Every structure is written in C-alpha cells, then in structure tokens.
C-alpha cells in the first residue's frame, strides 16, 4: 500500500490526520500543563470542570478563527500557499523531531517559559490557554492544514479537528488531570516521543505537499 499523503487525503482520512496533528501540538495531556492547571484550580479555589471549560473554549476560539481566516490572511499578504505549506510543514516536522528526541512538549508552545514562571503569575488564560495550548506551533499547524486544498475542504477539516481537540482539552483537564499528573517521567517521555514521531511524519508530508503545490500552482 502506498504511503499516506495528507495533501491528497479526503473525507475521514483528512479529518483524522488533521486531528492527530493538532492534538500532538496542543498536547492537553502534557503533565506540565496539568500541573499548572491543578495549581491554578487549587490556589484560586475554582471548580475543576468550569476551569477546564474556559481553557477549552479559549483554545477553540483562537485556533478556530485561525483555521477560518488564516488562508485569507496569507492571500492578503501575497504569500504563496505552497511556500507556506513548505515552511509550515518544516516547522511541524521540527517540532515533532524535538519531541521525539527530547521526550517532552515542543518549546515552540512556550512550555519552558511556563515552567520558569512563579505560581503567582500563572493563570488559566495566560499562560495555559495562550501560549501553551493555542501557541505559535498550534497556529502554524492549523493554518498549514487549512490551506492544503483550494475548495475549502481542508479548512472545514481543520475547524472540526480544532473542535475535537478542544473537547479533549476539556476532558483531559476536567477528568484526567490528577491521573496524568501522577505519571512517571519515563512514561510521559515515552508518550511524548511516540507523539513526536507521528507529528514529524505528518509535518514531512505537509512539507512535500507544499513543494508539489508550489510547482504545480
């Protein structure tokens, strides 16, 4: 069977690939993000489900709007979709390789900075929802996926994928937070590496698709 080409995918396969890519970047099961969330909830005496819903909603709004208007912004700026696909795919692939070899979330999402902040500076919207969830890496990934096709199918797939991932953000923080926070470092590193391998693969496919779009466009 020939290797999967995300640029030529349609229907369910496109939606699945988009969801996997965005989920790996947003990574709502990252223990660092869970620890920040748990700290904010306990320190401010918040309802866990309500707080998780706020984070998920902000993530959906930012990435959903990005999926809807990202392509139009590129057109307005005169940026070739194929060229952006190459750069975006390269960025996604590099984030995947960083996760694969580092065993942790990509620094593009601001995880390192969040770890260095004091508890008094931490909150649900900043830095948890932005930039840890809806950060530069996630925004780049969403725009790259949304710009794959010219008929709008990939844009719809990106929006649906963002919605699915946002629901998983809510579920992860609201119901799995304590469990994930208790995972051993070796277990979380293994999960990050598996996710990094998948993300690097999808990023490479986006890059190759961008090259083809650029020369065919």
């Amino acid at each position: 069977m020939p290797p999967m080409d995300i640029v030529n995918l349609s229907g369910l396969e496109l939606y699945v690939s988009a969801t996997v890519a965005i989920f790996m970047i947003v990574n709502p099961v990252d223990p660092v993000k869970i620890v920040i969330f748990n700290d904010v909830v306990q320190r401010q005496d918040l309802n866990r489900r309500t707080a998780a819903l706020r984070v998920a909603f902000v993530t959906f709004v930012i990435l959903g709007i990005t999926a809807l208007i990202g392509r139009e912004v590129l057109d307005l700026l005169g940026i070739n979709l194929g060229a952006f696909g190459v750069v975006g795919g390269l960025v996604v692939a590099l984030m995947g390789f960083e996760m694969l070899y580092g065993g942790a979330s990509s620094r593009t999402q601001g995880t390192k900075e969040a770890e260095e902040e004091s508890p008094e500076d931490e909150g649900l919207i900043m830095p948890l929802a932005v930039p840890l969830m809806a950060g530069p890496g996630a925004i780049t990934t969403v725009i790259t996926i949304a710009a794959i096709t010219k008929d709008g199918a990939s844009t719809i797939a990106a929006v649906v994928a963002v919605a699915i991932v946002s629901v998983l953000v809510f579920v992860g923080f609201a119901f799995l937070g304590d469990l994930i926070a208790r995972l051993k470092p070796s277990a979380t590193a293994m999960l990050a590496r598996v996710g990094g391998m998948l993300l690097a693969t999808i990023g490479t496919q986006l890059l190759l698709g961008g090259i083809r779009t650029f020369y065919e466009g």
Side-chain angles (χ1 to χ4, degrees):
M1 184 174 64
M4 180 180 67
D5 183 355
I6 191 172
V7 176
N8 286 332
L9 292 181
S10 60
L12 181 61
E13 291 178 329
L14 177 59
Y15 285 83
V16 171
S17 295
T19 301
V20 170
I22 296 172
F23 178 83
M24 293 304 173
I25 290 293
V26 174
N27 193 10
V29 296
D30 181 1
V32 172
K33 300 172 185 176
I34 297 296
V35 168
I36 292 176
F37 177 79
N38 288 342
D39 177 75
V40 173
V41 168
Q42 295 170 5
R43 180 161 41 83
Q44 300 183 17
D45 193 24
L46 302 175
N47 179 277
R48 174 175 289 273
R49 295 184 183 181
T50 301
L53 184 60
R54 288 177 59 191
V55 176
F57 178 74
V58 173
T59 301
F60 172 74
V61 169
I62 294 176
L63 296 183
I65 291 176
T66 298
L68 290 173
I69 69 172
R71 180 171 180 169
E72 284 68 23
V73 171
L74 293 181
D75 291 339
L76 183 63
L77 296 176
I79 298 177
N80 182 277
L81 293 180
F84 188 86
V86 172
V87 176
L90 179 61
V91 171
V92 173
L94 290 177
M95 287 189 292
F97 284 119
E98 182 183 1
M99 293 171 60
L100 177 61
Y101 290 106
S105 293
S106 172
R107 289 175 293 177
T108 305
Q109 289 291 88
T111 305
K112 183 176 181 180
E113 289 75 8
E115 288 179 307
E116 296 174 348
E117 291 181 359
S118 62
E120 289 76 12
D121 294 328
E122 295 170 355
L124 294 178
I125 307 304
M126 299 285 293
L128 189 54
V130 183
L132 290 186
M133 313 302 289
I139 290 173
T140 301
T141 303
V142 168
I143 295 178
T144 304
I145 293 173
I148 289 176
T149 63
K150 298 180 180 180
D151 59 2
S154 59
T155 298
I156 297 175
V159 174
V160 172
V162 167
I164 294 174
V165 171
S166 297
V167 171
L168 296 176
V169 168
F170 170 75
V171 172
F173 284 137
F175 302 104
L176 305 178
D178 291 334
L179 176 63
I180 295 171
R182 295 192 186 100
L183 288 177
K184 294 182 178 179
S186 58
T188 58
M190 181 186 68
L191 292 175
R193 288 189 171 95
V194 172
M197 182 174 64
L198 293 173
L199 192 62
T201 302
I202 292 175
T204 302
Q205 292 169 345
L206 290 171
L207 186 155
L208 295 175
I211 293 176
R212 184 169 59 196
T213 299
F214 180 81
Y215 284 105
E216 291 179 353

